[in-house]
Amino acid sequence: MSPVMQSLVLAVLSLVVWIGAARADLAAPERASGWIDKAPVAASRFIVATANSYASRAAFDVLREGGNAIDAAIAAQLVLGLVEPQSSGLGGGAFLLYHDAKRGRTIAYDGRETAPAAARPDRFLDAAGRPLAFHDAVVGGLSVGVPGLVALLDTVHRNAGHLAWARLFEPAIALAERGFPISPRLHAEIAGVRDWPQRRAREYFLDADGRARPVGAVLRNAAYAKTLRTLASQGAHAFYEGAIADDIVRAVRDAPRRPGDVTRDDLARYRVVVRDPVCDTYRRYRICGMPLPSSGGLAVLQTLKMLEAYDIGAMGAASFWSVHFVSEAERLAYADRSVYMADPAYFTPPPGLLDDAYLRARSRLISPLRSLGVASPGDPVRAQALPQAVTLGADASPEFASTSQLSIVDADGNAVAMTTTIEAGFGSRLMTQSGFLLNNELTDFSFVPVEQGKPVANRVEGGKRPRSSMAPTIAYDAAGRVAIVTGSPGGSAIIDYVVKNLLAIIDWQLDPQAAAALPNFGSRNGPTELEAHTPIVSLAPKLRALGHDVRVMEETSGVQTIVRTAHGFAGGADPRREGVVLGE
C-alpha cells in the first residue's frame, strides 16, 4: 500500500473510531499538551546535560579548560556518585555511546556488571522453587554484581581522554570533603527507604533519631574522597585489586541479609567490552544505540521502524492517535525483547530483529480499531508473527528507575551519551567502607530460569551480564553530523521515554526542553501507561474504548537531551528530576 493510500485509510478509520467514541460519550480532547516550564539552553561551542547541578558544573569546567566529552563525562560521573547515590556510582555500571568526531566513528562501551562465577539460574528462587519477592532479592549481598563503572571510565579515558586522569577526580574529591547540601529529591529518596539493614548506610543517610537527614543538611563523605584519591593516583586496577576490592568482597559476604558470593577473582577478571553500536534509519536520521546486552538500542529502533509507515507527525504530540499507535508499536517491541534479548556471550539472538520485511509485517499488526492488549513475540527469521515458533521462555525480570543520564557535546564535535546505574534506589543498600553503595544489578536477570518448559534467555549464569533497557542514543542528520544526543533513566520504561523524546524532536518538531517536559506515555506490553498529574490522563476514556488497559501512574524519566540547531546546540533537562544544562 502506498503511503498516500495508507494515510487515506488511516483517516477513514480514524473517523470511524472517533464516531464510535463520541457515541459512547467519551469526549476526551484530541491532544494533551505538555507542561513546559522553561526554555532550552543554547550553546555555540560545547554543552552538557546531567541530572545534577554539581555534576553539570564539573563537566562544564572540564570542557572550558579544554577537556573533551569523555573527560567531562568522567568528571560528572564521579560527582554524581556522591550527590545522587541512589542512582549511580562506583559500585554500579554504565553503557556509554561515544561519537569520535575525528574518526567519524560511533563506539559502544559496555561497562555492565557481571554475575559472579558462582551464580546459578535458581539464584532468586526460594526452597519451593518460587521467585523471591523483589525486596527480599534486592536487599543484601545476593543481588550484587561485579561493578563495571570504574573499568569503563578507565577504558574510555585511555582510548579517547584528553586531560590527565587525576585532574578529572578533583571536583568530586573537593565536594566530598567540603560537603554538599541534601537536595529535596535526595531527601525524598532517603525518606522513602524503610529498610536500611546495614549500620554504615544508616549512619550516613539518617540522623540520630533514624530519620532521613533534612533538606539542606550538609553531607560529607571522607571515605569516598579517600577512594577517589586512590583511584586518581593508582588507576582503575586499585578498584579491582587490593584494599578496595577486599572491601567490596567483605561487604557482600558479610551482608546482614542474604550474603552474596562476589570474590576477588570475579573482580580481577572484570573487563569492559567494546562493541559496535546498533544503528538504523528513521525518517531522515540515522539513529545509533547500545547493542545487547542492553535491549534499549534494539527496542527503540524496532519501535521507530514500525512507526515509520504512519504519519506520526500529523497525529500530533501526545495526542489520542499518537498515544495509541506508539503504544502498540512498543507492545510489539517489548514482546520481542522478552524472549530474544540477552547477553550475546551466552545467547545468540535470532537474525532479523531489525529486518525491514520483518518490521513491516509487525507494523501491519497495529490496528486503528483496537489495541493488541498483550502482543506476542514475532518470528524474525521468517519475517512474520508466529508465536508458536518461539523456542524461548518469556522473561520475568523487574527493572527499576534509579539510574542517571549524561549527554555531552564538546568543542571538537565529540559526543557522549551515557546511561549509568546501580539499579534500584540505593542499589543493594550495602555501603562499603570505601564510601560508595553497591548495585543490585543481578535482579535484572529473570528470576524464573525456565518458563513453560522453555529456557529464558536472560536467566542467571556465572559471568553473564544481565539484560538492560538503558538506551543512550546518538542520532545523525542527513549530512552525517551529530543531531541528537539523548537517553534517560527509568528502568524498563527507558525505552518508552527515549522513543517519546525522539518522536517529539523528529516528528513533532519540539525543542529538547519541550520534548523532555512532554507527558510520558507508552506500553511495556501490558497496560498503556499515562503519566499522572498531566493533561494526557484525559485521553484514558477514548483509549479504553479501543481496548487499552489504561494505567495512570507516576513516571520517573530523567531525559537529558542535546539537539543540533542552526547556531550550535540546544539542551533540555527533564523537569521531573534536578537536571541542569550548561553550555557556552
Side-chain angles (χ1 to χ4, degrees):
M1 184 183 296
S2 70
V4 173
M5 192 65 173
Q6 190 176 55
S7 297
L8 180 60
V9 170
L10 177 60
V12 172
L13 290 174
S14 299
L15 180 61
V16 170
V17 175
W18 165 249
I19 291 172
R23 286 176 177 172
D25 196 26
L26 302 178
E30 276 295 285
R31 292 171 182 257
S33 61
W35 31 280
I36 302 167
D37 57 356
K38 58 183 178 181
V41 173
S44 59
R45 293 184 60 233
F46 56 76
I47 189 167
V48 55
T50 85
N52 184 276
S53 61
Y54 288 106
S56 291
R57 173 54 61 178
F60 178 87
D61 289 345
V62 163
L63 292 170
R64 177 174 275 179
E65 189 177 316
N68 62 18
I70 291 292
D71 299 326
I74 294 169
Q77 172 62 85
L78 296 173
V79 171
L80 284 175
L82 175 69
V83 300
E84 208 187 36
Q86 73 274 20
S87 296
S88 71
L90 303 183
F95 291 118
L96 188 150
L97 203 62
Y98 175 57
H99 170 72
D100 184 329
K102 185 176 181 180
R103 295 174 177 81
R105 293 183 57 204
T106 311
I107 306 167
Y109 289 93
D110 174 357
R112 184 67 160 159
E113 300 86 343
T114 57
R120 299 291 178 264
D122 62 355
R123 189 176 188 86
F124 296 115
L125 300 180
D126 64 17
R130 296 169 301 203
L132 295 175
F134 176 72
H135 181 270
D136 292 339
V138 166
V139 179
L142 198 66
S143 65
V144 179
V146 180
L149 179 68
V150 175
L152 172 70
L153 300 182
D154 175 74
T155 300
V156 297
H157 185 262
R158 289 176 184 275
N159 289 353
H162 178 64
L163 296 184
W165 169 256
R167 160 66 184 92
L168 308 177
F169 286 71
E170 292 173 3
I173 292 170
L175 192 60
E177 292 178 336
R178 181 175 71 247
F180 65 95
I182 293 176
S183 70
R185 179 174 176 79
L186 178 55
H187 168 77
E189 292 282 348
I190 296 169
V193 175
R194 298 292 178 233
D195 186 7
W196 295 99
Q198 190 193 46
R199 179 179 177 181
R200 187 178 305 117
R202 288 197 301 271
E203 290 178 345
Y204 183 67
F205 290 112
L206 308 181
D207 64 20
D209 296 321
R211 294 177 299 210
R213 295 186 186 278
V215 174
V218 175
L219 202 58
R220 297 179 179 86
N221 193 332
Y224 185 67
K226 180 181 177 181
T227 296
L228 293 184
R229 289 187 186 280
T230 299
L231 297 178
S233 62
Q234 298 180 25
H237 73 88
F239 185 88
Y240 295 93
E241 303 172 7
I244 298 174
D246 287 338
D247 185 20
I248 293 170
V249 170
R250 189 164 48 248
V252 173
R253 183 194 62 210
D254 298 340
R257 307 264 184 86
R258 299 187 183 275
D261 45 16
V262 172
T263 67
R264 279 288 301 269
D265 285 344
D266 291 322
L267 288 159
R269 282 196 296 264
Y270 185 84
R271 296 292 184 273
V272 171
V273 181
V274 181
R275 305 184 187 275
D276 292 327
V278 57
C279 302
D280 212 323
T281 58
Y282 178 70
R283 310 298 187 202
R284 61 187 184 277
Y285 293 87
R286 179 172 177 264
I287 297 175
C288 293
M290 283 300 305
L292 297 173
S294 179
S295 62
L298 280 169
V300 166
L301 287 171
Q302 278 194 320
T303 302
L304 294 175
K305 296 295 286 184
M306 285 186 279
L307 291 172
E308 197 160 24
Y310 306 102
D311 193 348
I312 302 299
M315 293 180 190
S319 70
F320 166 68
W321 285 115
S322 62
V323 170
H324 171 67
F325 274 81
V326 173
S327 297
E328 296 300 285
E330 289 169 346
R331 281 184 170 82
L332 294 163
Y334 275 90
D336 278 2
R337 172 187 178 273
S338 71
V339 294
Y340 294 135
M341 301 184 194
D343 185 345
Y346 289 74
F347 163 76
T348 302
L353 287 170
L354 289 178
D355 180 77
D356 287 344
Y358 171 64
L359 293 176
R360 282 196 298 270
R362 296 288 276 169
S363 178
R364 287 195 289 271
L365 298 175
I366 300 173
S367 168
L369 296 175
R370 66 188 182 281
S371 172
L372 288 163
V374 176
S376 297
D379 183 353
V381 177
R382 297 164 66 180
Q384 53 186 313
L386 293 174
Q388 65 270 24
V390 175
T391 58
L392 293 164
D395 187 13
S397 56
E399 271 188 85
F400 289 81
S402 293
T403 298
S404 203
Q405 172 67 28
L406 298 83
S407 299
I408 302 170
V409 177
D410 67 27
D412 294 322
N414 303 301
V416 165
M418 176 178 170
T419 314
T420 174
T421 186
I422 58 169
E423 178 55 5
F426 305 96
S428 63
R429 316 271 171 83
L430 298 180
M431 194 170 199
T432 64
Q433 291 180 348
S434 303
F436 57 86
L437 289 160
L438 293 172
N439 69 83
N440 67 290
E441 293 296 350
L442 299 191
T443 56
D444 269 359
F445 285 116
S446 177
F447 283 25
V448 179
V450 177
E451 178 68 27
Q452 297 182 346
K454 301 172 184 177
V456 174
N458 189 40
R459 63 189 179 276
V460 182
E461 296 178 83
K464 190 175 184 178
R465 295 166 192 245
R467 188 192 61 201
S468 172
S469 294
M470 293 189 287
T473 302
I474 299 178
Y476 298 86
D477 63 18
R481 303 175 301 175
V482 170
I484 304 169
V485 182
T486 191
S488 179
S492 60
I494 286 173
I495 293 161
D496 291 351
Y497 298 152
V498 172
V499 166
K500 181 212 76 171
N501 204 51
L502 290 170
L503 294 175
I505 294 165
I506 295 171
D507 287 293
W508 301 323
Q509 301 292 295
L510 298 183
D511 68 57
Q513 187 59 52
L518 193 69
N520 286 317
F521 62 88
S523 175
R524 291 175 274 179
N525 202 23
T528 298
E529 297 164 350
L530 304 179
E531 185 172 9
H533 315 301
T534 72
I536 205 168
V537 174
S538 65
L539 303 179
K542 287 182 64 181
L543 290 166
R544 291 189 176 107
L546 287 191
H548 288 259
D549 174 16
V550 176
R551 178 181 298 170
V552 176
M553 56 188 291
E554 302 290 339
E555 299 277 10
T556 54
S557 63
V559 174
Q560 312 293 340
T561 303
I562 296 168
V563 174
R564 180 178 292 277
T565 69
H567 306 290
F569 291 94
D574 201 317
R576 298 162 188 85
R577 301 207 180 195
E578 298 169 335
V580 170
V581 182
L582 296 175
E584 183 174 274

